[in-house]
Amino acid sequence: MIPTFTNLRSQASYRKFALRNWPPIPGGKEKSIRISATMDNGCLVLEPDIAGDGMFVYYVSQDATYGFADAGVNWACSGPYSGCKFQVGRADLRIYASHIAREGGVDYSDKLIQYLPEAYPALDYTTGMGDTSIDTAQKLSATQVSKYLFAWWAGNFNTFSVTEITIYGNNMDSGRIMKVAEVDVN
C-alpha cells in the first residue's frame, strides 16, 4: 500500500498505527531504512522490508537526518514530529527525504547543509504540535502526541504529495490515528 492522502483517508476502518519489528537507528551519515506499509487488523503498520517501496528517515535529537530513495522507492515517511522540519528534494540527482530537528528554539537545518551541500528542497515543511491538550490526551488515556509525515512522488519526482497523521498513544511509535491531513505543498 502506498500511504497517500487518498489511501489513508479511504481506509476509514483502521484507526491505529504501529511501527513493527523496528531496528535501532543505523550508523553512518544516512539514517534511513527501506520499509513497506500494510493494513493489519485495522492498523496501519510500517515495518522494515528490503523489497519495500518506501523509506523511513529516523529522528535524531539536535541533528538533521536524511535518506536517499533507492530504485523502486516512491514514498518516504519520517517521525515522530512535534515541531521539526520535513524536507524532500533532490541532491546529486537523487531524491532525498530529511528530518530536521528543532529543539529549544534551535533549528538544525545547518546540519543538513553540512551533510548535503548540493541539496535542493522541493518541500521544506515545519510541523506544528497539534492538539496536545491534557484534556484530550486524558480522554484517550494517552501520554504522547506525535505526528508522522508521508511524502509520495510520481514518475521522476515531477509531482508529489504529503500527508500528515496525528497519533495519540502511550509511546511515540504506536497509537490511535486521530487526524489525517493533506499538506499544502505549493
Side-chain angles (χ1 to χ4, degrees):
M1 176 185 125
I2 297 174
T4 63
F5 175 73
T6 302
N7 288 346
L8 292 172
R9 289 292 287 189
S10 68
Q11 298 290 334
S13 61
Y14 74 83
R15 297 310 303 168
K16 294 181 182 173
F17 171 82
L19 303 178
R20 185 179 293 160
N21 303 319
W22 220 243
I25 297 173
K29 290 174 85 176
E30 288 187 52
K31 305 258 187 253
S32 66
I33 58 170
R34 199 153 175 172
I35 62 171
S36 63
T38 57
M39 294 303 303
D40 184 11
N41 207 18
C43 185
L44 171 61
V45 177
L46 301 182
E47 58 189 330
D49 181 350
I50 60 170
D53 58 357
M55 167 180 62
F56 184 85
V57 178
Y58 285 84
Y59 160 78
V60 174
S61 178
Q62 300 179 0
D63 204 354
T65 59
Y66 68 92
F68 286 108
D70 295 328
V73 170
N74 59 8
W75 61 274
C77 174
S78 190
Y81 282 92
S82 59
C84 296
K85 285 185 177 181
F86 182 54
Q87 195 176 93
V88 180
R90 286 188 181 274
D92 284 336
L93 302 176
R94 296 171 71 191
I95 298 171
Y96 76 91
S98 178
H99 189 139
I100 302 168
R102 290 176 32 131
E103 300 165 14
V106 178
D107 182 324
Y108 291 91
S109 295
D110 60 323
K111 297 264 189 167
L112 185 65
I113 294 167
Q114 177 185 342
Y115 303 149
L116 295 176
E118 67 285 354
Y120 180 78
L123 170 77
D124 191 13
Y125 177 70
T126 303
T127 63
M129 289 292 291
D131 182 0
T132 58
S133 69
I134 293 172
D135 184 49
T136 301
Q138 285 177 341
K139 285 178 185 174
L140 299 168
S141 300
T143 59
Q144 301 283 333
V145 178
S146 59
K147 293 183 179 189
Y148 283 79
L149 290 163
F150 297 85
W152 168 82
W153 50 88
N156 196 20
F157 201 62
N158 297 329
T159 60
F160 70 97
S161 66
V162 178
T163 303
E164 177 180 88
I165 62 172
T166 303
I167 310 294
Y168 289 77
N170 292 321
N171 57 50
M172 299 295 266
D173 58 5
S174 66
R176 186 174 177 161
I177 298 173
M178 296 306 295
K179 183 177 179 183
V180 176
E182 192 167 25
V183 174
D184 182 7
V185 295
N186 297 320

